[in-house]
Amino acid sequence: MRVLLTGGAGYIGSHTLLKLLRQGHEALVLDNFSNSSPRALGRVKQLAQADFEVREGSICDAERLDQVFAEFRPEAVIHFAGLKAVGESNEKPLHYYAQNVSGSITLLAAMQKHDCRQMVFSSSATVYGDAAYLPYDEAHPLQPTNPYGRTKLFIEEIIRDWAASWPDASAVLLRYFNPVGADPSGQIGEDPQAIPNNLVPYIAQVAVGRLPFLSIFGGDYDTRDGTGERDYIHVEDLAAAHLAAVSFGHSQTGCEAINIGTGHGTTVLELLRAFERASGRKVPHKIVAERAGDVARSFASVTKARTLLGWQAERNLDDMCHSTWNWQSRNPDGYDA
């Protein structure tokens, strides 16, 4: 199958790209490299021993999209491209709506123009907001607590309407929980372009000496140790979920939202201790005020993923921490090494 990956040079995109290539799919990556590195794609080529096409560009650029679709003629799109920092979205909401929501509309219009009928969308568990009950299942009320989460929700609703208007269209909305880890080769991993907004790369950069200490946002949540609890999933498992979604969508029409997680939660302090065991290093940290838009606890019901996709997570917390440390210790400065 010919698959277009928007944002395919990013953390999740590069791992998914590697699995696609290893399964014999043709791929084209469209990325503006605003929060990713072209070097990641070079490493994917080496690991996969397979070539693929790359185009630099933005999903907001209708002319560029038209050119890419006309040349590559994708049969499916995996849509990763988008801004993704909760804190930054509170500071720059209009920027997030312009890039994420408007860009996705432009992408869907290009798909329709070029008769590309299958979409897998990189959504997020942030669409759920504060828990009315746990675990979150796909029927949980959708009440995101920050602009980033609202962009994901708005895009989901736009994709639903797009799919409903086109009887042959297929869309799978993958609601990620918290992706962590890296490829076992240590050649590709998460490499934020600035100070990390996500917990695990921040811990890894403290452990390797790039950052002085970890700030833990909130120590009085109603959890086992007072720190926030999240469902962390290995990026390799997440990448496998995308391939399962592509396969599922190829034989289905309509739109399905599906949680991608492990089904259980880990607190910040539990994750910190696991990373210290994996790295053999102490990670200096301090507890600071809660961050606007964060929730206390978040973990997934994964029944629908097992039922529809035949998928479930296979890797545990130790696997996540060991692979992250393998990546970070081999690449202390990320792809800029």
Side-chain angles (χ1 to χ4, degrees), residues 61-71 73-74 77 104-118 162 165-166 169:
D61 184 342
E63 184 176 343
R64 185 59 164 156
L65 285 175
D66 190 53
Q67 180 185 42
V68 167
F69 274 84
E71 292 175 355
R73 297 176 293 108
V77 172
S104 296
I105 292 171
T106 304
L107 175 63
L108 289 166
M111 291 178 66
Q112 189 144 347
K113 178 179 178 180
H114 292 273
D115 198 34
C116 180
R117 304 171 183 229
Q118 186 179 347
W162 169 79
S165 72
W166 194 2

Side-chain angles (χ1 to χ4, degrees), residues 1 20 57 73 75 102 130 135 146 167 169 189 196 211 213 223 229 235 242 251 265 312 320:
M1 184 179 289
L20 282 168
R73 297 176 293 108
E75 299 167 84
S102 296
D130 291 320
N146 53 70
L211 295 170
F213 62 88
T223 62
E229 182 180 348
V235 68
H242 286 82
S251 60
Q312 64 182 13
M320 300 174 204

